[in-house]
Amino acid sequence: MALTIRSSLKRSLVMLATASLLVGAVVPAVQAQGTPPGTGPASVADLAEGLLDAVVNIATSQNVKEKDESGPLPQIPEGSPFQEFFNDFFKGENDGSGSHKVNSLGSGFVIDPAGFIVTNNHVIEGADDIEVVFPNGSKLKAKLIGTDPKTDLSVLKVEPKAPLKAVKFGDSKVMRIGDWVMAIGNPFGLGGSVTVGIISARGRNINAGPYDNFIQTDAAINKGNSGGPLFNMKGEVIGINTAIISPSGGSIGIGFAVPTELAENIVKQLIEFGETRRGWLGVRIQPVTDDIAESLGLDRARGALVAGVVKGGPVENGPIKTGDVILTFDGKAVAEVRDLPRVVAESPVGKAVDVVILRDGKEQTVKVTLGRLEDSVDTAAAQTDPVIVPEGEEETVPDADNNEQATPDTPQEDGDVTPAATLGMTLGALDAEGRKSFGISEGVEGVLITEVADGSVAAQKGVKKGEVIVEVAQSFVDTPAAVTKKLGELKSEGRRNAHLMIAGATGDLRFVALPLE
């Protein structure tokens, strides 16, 4: 698989390669410390020899109906990072019957002598026929046991006449940046090939799925390596090779593997149930920015801010509320917003877990029992756990004219519904006329934003007219005067940011931190 990258990045890569060649021409070679002259690094031949028999080639075929003379491409989701891989690898054989056969090649590895094999979902997706080719040239038809598109993993089963050579999973969590790794696979359909490199980075998010946590390696991974194993130097699988970044389709030393800390449990579930059974918390979340962290009294930007609770979910009317910041889940720190979906999904359905939250400026621990995340089309929108809601545009420094709008000219009482202007927003009462004008549902309560000045601090944070301010600093507001009064109190307390809960027309919530200075 190859990820598409911008042409400017391609040019950068070429320039970097050229520069490195020039430097290499003038820098003398350095003998590795402790290595006898005339010898290279330690050989991995013995390690590779014991693993090659467990790595297999996966060959698939699919009959696709023709729609025009050129023939259709395989049914790959538009914009998929794997689309280029399939476009390059699939080839048609028109038989004149209105359909043609497309074929693909990938890799896999045996995890059980009885015939269970792990590979990538994109290697076998849509296949009518799956065949496993072993290093000795023998072939067996494979049955699809289960697949998980969200992590791009699949499990196959063959029926061997004798026990197969198998490899075992290792612990990817103990792997460090700089550790040696070895990849074995089927690049360009050539059969078992071995490459060696190091772990270049951990926890990579390449937008391939909701649970991205890839290991990055410079071990050469090319088209056809997808689904193959990434080994540690003990011969244990610590990753499943899945993707590469490449301007040419070949390896440039940036490959990605699904870590076994994520894959192992999914593989076990696919074998046991034929599907994944993920935990579900039932909340919608957004990132905690520096401004939001400061407005909430957090020492730094961390955790996941709860922007909404799903109706009918595990925590509806329960221990977690809108506005809470989830800091720790089941003993695992939530360093950033994307950590939470992964740790929740990896937790067993029905498990009661401790969750550390920040509420009203204080940390507290609550107990939560997880539900099950369903993948059906009808419920996917409501049950995706969680939905990340962006805060808005990056902060820029407001101009002097906008600062002059920070407080209204005339003092107002809390019950005063007179329109007010503050932080670049014009505020009005949320009455029947306002609801009709902006299509705001009856369930939304608060103060209506009737205008947002271009270039104002509110506009810079993505606030729009027709939205509703529900809370300021976790206090409900229902009049323009209540908003301006609360903002004035925060400013007099020396607060630099105001923490606002804002609702859309249909009631979708998000939090925005607006600078007061």
Side-chain angles (χ1 to χ4, degrees):
M1 184 212 84
L3 295 178
T4 303
I5 58 177
R6 293 187 178 93
S7 59
S8 60
L9 178 56
K10 293 183 184 180
R11 290 193 295 270
S12 298
L13 290 170
V14 171
M15 287 188 291
L16 287 171
T18 304
S20 65
L21 288 174
L22 291 173
V23 172
V26 297
V27 176
V30 178
Q31 182 68 38
Q33 185 175 0
T35 303
T39 65
S43 173
V44 295
D46 290 340
L47 179 64
E49 185 177 17
L51 301 172
L52 278 166
D53 287 344
V55 182
V56 299
N57 299 342
I58 307 293
T60 70
S61 62
Q62 178 184 5
N63 290 314
V64 179
K65 292 183 180 180
E66 291 190 26
K67 295 182 181 179
D68 53 40
E69 294 182 357
S70 62
L73 290 173
Q75 300 302 306
I76 307 302
E78 187 66 29
S80 167
F82 309 118
Q83 190 169 20
E84 187 176 333
F85 172 88
F86 278 94
N87 289 345
D88 288 344
F89 250 90
F90 279 77
K91 56 184 179 180
E93 297 177 5
N94 195 336
D95 57 8
S97 61
S99 66
H100 70 265
K101 180 176 289 189
V102 291
N103 305 289
S104 74
L105 293 172
S107 303
F109 56 98
V110 181
I111 59 167
D112 188 311
F116 287 103
I117 295 170
V118 175
T119 188
N120 281 145
N121 171 70
H122 76 262
V123 170
I124 53 84
E125 188 172 24
D128 297 314
D129 183 71
I130 305 173
E131 189 173 59
V132 176
V133 183
F134 293 88
N136 62 7
S138 63
K139 301 177 181 180
L140 289 175
K141 295 292 184 181
K143 175 184 176 182
L144 178 61
I145 299 299
T147 190
D148 180 41
K150 290 182 178 179
T151 55
D152 197 25
L153 295 173
S154 293
V155 175
L156 309 176
K157 179 68 167 66
V158 296
E159 300 298 334
K161 295 181 180 179
L164 300 175
K165 170 70 176 180
V167 290
K168 63 180 182 178
F169 287 121
D171 187 359
S172 61
K173 294 192 297 293
V174 303
M175 300 299 292
R176 303 165 59 200
I177 296 174
D179 280 344
W180 287 98
V181 288
M182 179 172 65
I184 302 181
N186 179 31
F188 302 107
L190 296 173
S193 294
V194 178
T195 55
V196 176
I198 62 169
I199 291 180
S200 305
R202 294 176 50 90
R204 288 298 201 207
N205 178 9
I206 61 173
N207 297 314
Y211 309 115
D212 281 15
N213 186 31
F214 289 99
I215 294 171
Q216 180 183 327
T217 179
D218 67 349
I221 296 173
N222 290 286
K223 297 175 183 179
N225 274 111
S226 288
L230 186 69
F231 293 102
N232 61 19
M233 291 296 102
K234 297 178 182 178
E236 300 167 332
V237 179
I238 51 88
I240 295 89
N241 300 320
T242 297
I244 61 173
I245 289 179
S246 173
S248 63
S251 173
I252 61 169
I254 305 177
F256 302 97
V258 180
T260 54
E261 61 194 272
L262 175 63
E264 187 172 10
N265 185 52
I266 291 170
V267 169
K268 289 179 179 177
Q269 289 187 10
L270 293 177
I271 292 174
E272 183 175 359
F273 307 115
E275 61 181 0
T276 52
R277 298 186 177 181
R278 291 188 169 93
W280 178 44
L281 188 58
V283 296
R284 295 185 173 90
I285 59 175
Q286 71 176 72
V288 177
T289 64
D290 291 335
D291 287 345
I292 289 178
E294 191 275 336
S295 67
L296 292 174
L298 270 173
D299 56 345
R300 66 183 188 281
R302 58 189 175 101
L305 178 58
V306 178
V309 176
V310 177
K311 186 176 181 180
V315 296
E316 183 187 20
N317 301 320
I320 294 180
K321 303 180 184 299
T322 300
D324 290 344
V325 178
I326 298 175
L327 301 174
T328 302
F329 184 89
D330 197 18
K332 302 178 181 70
V334 181
E336 55 183 316
V337 69
R338 70 186 183 95
D339 292 339
L340 186 62
R342 186 171 61 251
V343 296
V344 171
E346 292 172 359
S347 300
V349 176
K351 182 180 180 181
V353 300
D354 288 331
V355 181
V356 178
I357 61 172
L358 180 77
R359 179 183 297 167
D360 299 328
K362 299 178 180 178
E363 290 190 17
Q364 56 182 282
T365 301
V366 298
K367 184 76 72 173
V368 172
T369 300
L370 296 178
R372 180 182 174 186
L373 178 63
E374 302 290 345
D375 290 328
S376 65
V377 174
D378 294 337
T379 61
Q383 295 187 341
T384 299
D385 181 19
V387 176
I388 297 177
V389 183
E391 181 198 344
E393 301 296 329
E394 290 295 321
E395 179 183 357
T396 58
V397 179
D399 56 33
D401 291 337
N402 292 325
N403 279 335
E404 292 174 0
Q405 297 180 342
T407 56
D409 294 333
T410 305
Q412 297 173 299
E413 298 297 327
D414 285 357
D416 190 346
V417 295
T418 304
T422 182
L423 301 178
M425 300 177 291
T426 302
L427 308 178
L430 183 56
D431 52 19
E433 183 180 350
R435 289 185 187 276
K436 183 178 179 181
S437 297
F438 294 103
I440 299 170
S441 64
E442 290 297 326
V444 178
E445 298 291 343
V447 178
L448 179 63
I449 302 171
T450 57
E451 291 292 340
V452 178
D454 292 340
S456 65
V457 292
Q460 292 161 7
K461 290 294 185 178
V463 178
K464 300 178 178 62
K465 68 177 182 179
E467 294 185 315
V468 176
I469 299 175
V470 180
E471 292 182 359
V472 178
Q474 298 181 308
S475 296
F476 175 71
V477 290
D478 58 359
T479 65
V483 174
T484 56
K485 181 180 179 181
K486 189 64 179 178
L487 292 175
E489 291 174 355
L490 294 174
K491 194 169 184 179
S492 66
E493 293 170 2
R495 303 286 286 273
R496 296 191 302 171
N497 296 286
H499 186 234
L500 276 60
M501 179 194 289
I502 294 181
T506 59
D508 292 334
L509 299 174
R510 77 180 194 279
F511 290 89
V512 175
L514 296 184
L516 295 172
E517 298 176 346

